Amino acid sequence: MSSQAELTRPVAPSTLPAGEPTLIDHIAAFAASAAPDAVPERVSWQAKLCILDTIGCMVSGATEADGLRLFAAEMAGDPGGSARVVGQSETMSPEGAARVNGYLGDLFELNDLIGGHASIATVAAALAVADEEKPDGKTFLKACIAGIETTTRIHFAYYEHMKPYTEMAITPPAIPNAMGSAAAAAIISGGGEREVRNAMGIGLSLATWGPAELTFGDGGTVKPMLHGSMPASVGVTSARYAMGGMTGPHSLMESDIGLYATIGRGYKRWALVDPEGFHLDEPRRKLHAACGYTHMAIDLMGKLYRDIGPERLAAAQAIRIAVPAYIMPAVVKTTPPTSPNNARFHINYCAALAGTGVDVILPEHSNRFDAYFTPAVADLLGRISLVLEPDFIHYAECRIEVDEAGDSPVTVEGKAPRGAPDNPLGEAGVREKFARLVSHRMESTEITTYCDRVMQLEKEADVDWLLTPFIGI
């Protein structure tokens, strides 16, 4: 992406040029035109990998107790509809299905990090509306490209200028994700640029504020509704409102009493009005079932485990993990994990697991953290401390120093964990991850056939088959 440094400050609504397109106008114009044959082939290819990856994440959470409880609670008050839920035989309203499927896909922190978890909201909303609108594969793919890419553009424009969590107490992806999923739902519903624009404005208006405490503190079992579930549901509702003729605000993003004034010091206007390239062409996917803030530390500890060996790590006098300041309140913990959510956002615990030979953090490492918190993990965790590195800006930047008796520290550093744009999983990696997540539901030959169809999605006459193998427990 561009290295332009221009920073635009939010302005009073009264000073916005009359008749000039607003940020929502610009984004909606792109979204409405984002057909697979109107974007680079690699962008369509990556969007198809997002769909495959996200559905796999939903399947992985379909039989979890928390997901089953949510489904039962939703069904008790759902008005009914034809939208399907992964793992269930009953259908429900599109809003309800979007909430449940989004929740299932976010249970284990496995869904991708493109634009702050853009795929989970967009794909959940698109699947729910598709069950009622019955689009062809090309329309479905267009909706996903539009939702994921526009959400990511909104996210990218403020991310480097985001206020600290301790100042605004918001995890912003909950907000732009509602806009992207609204665009996707409106496109599948047959909306044009006008409807997409109004759906996005309404989505921004109705989005949850995304409390940071829910993500990084005591989030309870409602936490997975934050980035994908509720934004997807809001997107479905917003598209329905827009298709019914309701209108949304136009300047809510750049206004000094709007989105960017709330969550940042400013924003990069060019990233929305005249972007260079596509974020989908530089995806950030998850290999580990843990907060993305922890992934570089996990991979570096794994490298140390392989390079210097477990004995030297276990005998280390101290292990210092250097990270950017803004992630420290979110993932730095000084006590053992206390809950599955706490374990997923516990960089000390995840790094200690990697330092004892765990190559990939799996859902069971958080769901059964008490069983995996072995004496060896506990001992290593006691040697780990997190330190601030002022020069680090992105959460993927990390350095680990290992102090050994009488020797100079062993140091490793990185900024591209597995799944990052500079260290991508690629199609083979996404297929492998998908197979690992759905192997309890499909045979290997069926998995291959399914993946092949997703990768040719624009040629499909319908998309009903996307969920068919995963309906019913």
Side-chain angles (χ1 to χ4, degrees):
M1 289 297 161
S2 173
S3 60
Q4 298 182 53
E6 177 188 353
L7 178 64
T8 303
R9 305 289 182 181
V11 297
S14 59
T15 65
L16 293 172
E20 288 291 318
T22 66
L23 295 182
I24 290 180
D25 292 330
H26 283 288
I27 300 168
F30 162 75
S33 65
D37 52 7
V39 301
E41 185 177 350
R42 279 183 55 84
V43 172
S44 291
W45 173 62
Q46 291 289 359
K48 287 180 277 192
L49 291 178
C50 289
I51 294 167
L52 183 65
D53 187 32
T54 304
I55 292 175
C57 292
M58 292 175 179
V59 176
S60 74
T63 57
E64 285 301 301
D66 289 343
L68 296 176
R69 277 191 287 268
L70 174 65
F71 175 72
E74 289 279 359
M75 286 297 291
D78 192 78
S82 57
R84 294 172 294 172
V85 173
V86 174
Q88 302 296 333
S89 300
E90 299 93 334
T91 58
M92 57 197 311
S93 67
E95 283 92 340
R99 282 193 295 273
V100 177
N101 284 334
Y103 184 95
L104 298 178
D106 201 14
L107 260 175
F108 298 136
E109 286 293 316
L110 274 167
N111 52 292
D112 69 42
L113 293 164
I114 303 172
H117 308 272
S119 295
I120 185 61
T122 291
V123 175
L127 288 170
V129 178
D131 269 345
E132 297 210 333
E133 297 293 337
K134 304 299 181 183
D136 59 20
K138 186 174 181 179
T139 301
F140 187 88
L141 181 56
K142 173 184 177 178
C144 290
I145 293 171
I148 296 168
E149 181 65 28
T150 57
T151 294
T152 308
R153 292 181 181 188
I154 296 167
H155 177 268
F156 175 76
Y158 75 80
Y159 189 74
E160 292 180 2
H161 313 291
M162 186 173 68
K163 296 175 183 176
Y165 294 123
T166 49
E167 181 176 333
M168 65 170 174
I170 293 172
T171 47
I175 305 172
N177 284 359
M179 299 178 70
S181 61
I187 289 168
I188 290 178
S189 299
E193 183 177 335
R194 178 191 181 98
E195 289 77 21
V196 170
R197 180 181 65 239
N198 283 319
M200 293 178 73
I202 295 169
L204 175 54
S205 304
L206 302 182
T208 170
W209 65 284
E213 170 65 19
L214 194 64
T215 302
F216 304 121
D218 181 14
T221 59
V222 76
K223 181 266 159 192
M225 301 192 81
L226 187 64
H227 290 152
S229 176
M230 284 306 298
S233 177
V234 167
V236 171
T237 299
S238 300
R240 181 159 49 84
Y241 286 170
M243 297 301 292
M246 291 184 69
T247 60
H250 282 198
S251 59
L252 186 54
M253 293 181 67
E254 62 263 61
S255 166
D256 64 355
I257 50 176
L259 174 64
Y260 287 143
T262 301
I263 62 177
R265 307 296 186 196
Y267 62 96
K268 295 187 283 280
R269 180 178 174 83
W270 61 265
L272 300 163
V273 175
D274 188 24
E276 297 180 355
F278 287 80
H279 296 274
L280 269 167
D281 201 24
E282 299 179 355
R284 190 175 295 276
R285 307 190 192 280
K286 280 189 170 185
L287 179 65
H288 303 294
C291 176
Y293 288 177
T294 69
H295 287 206
M296 194 68 256
I298 294 168
D299 285 353
L300 289 178
M301 283 294 287
K303 176 176 173 56
L304 286 167
Y305 179 87
R306 294 187 298 274
D307 288 353
I308 70 174
E311 293 81 9
R312 287 174 64 183
L313 273 178
Q317 293 182 328
I319 301 172
R320 292 182 298 279
I321 302 178
V323 295
Y326 75 96
I327 79 167
M328 296 186 75
V331 294
V332 176
K333 310 287 192 296
T334 58
T335 58
T338 56
S339 69
N341 189 62
N342 178 268
R344 295 180 194 113
F345 288 84
H346 198 312
I347 192 170
N348 310 57
Y349 168 64
C350 291
L353 284 172
T356 56
V358 174
D359 183 55
V360 178
I361 304 298
L362 301 173
E364 52 260 38
H365 291 123
S366 57
N367 277 6
R368 298 172 51 218
F369 65 89
D370 50 346
Y372 284 96
F373 193 69
T374 62
V377 171
D379 181 67
L380 198 58
L381 186 145
R383 300 167 191 267
I384 292 174
S385 63
L386 274 289
V387 297
L388 165 66
E389 173 48 72
D391 292 335
F392 288 168
I393 298 174
H394 196 278
Y395 64 78
E397 297 178 281
C398 182
R399 182 178 63 253
I400 300 181
E401 297 175 345
V402 180
D403 286 345
E404 299 183 283
D407 293 317
S408 299
V410 177
T411 302
V412 291
E413 186 168 334
K415 58 180 179 180
R418 286 173 286 179
D422 292 335
N423 189 11
L425 292 182
E427 182 173 337
V430 174
R431 282 176 176 250
E432 181 181 344
K433 176 183 172 183
F434 179 81
R436 184 168 64 246
L437 296 176
V438 307
S439 60
H440 62 293
R441 298 296 301 252
M442 303 173 81
E443 299 293 334
S444 60
T445 54
E446 294 174 317
I447 292 172
T448 299
T449 299
Y450 183 93
C451 292
D452 289 344
R453 290 187 74 179
V454 172
M455 299 314 295
Q456 297 292 321
L457 184 59
E458 67 274 20
K459 299 178 181 179
E460 295 285 340
D462 65 78
V463 294
D464 286 351
W465 55 273
L466 283 172
L467 290 185
T468 298
F470 314 116
I471 299 305
I473 296 177

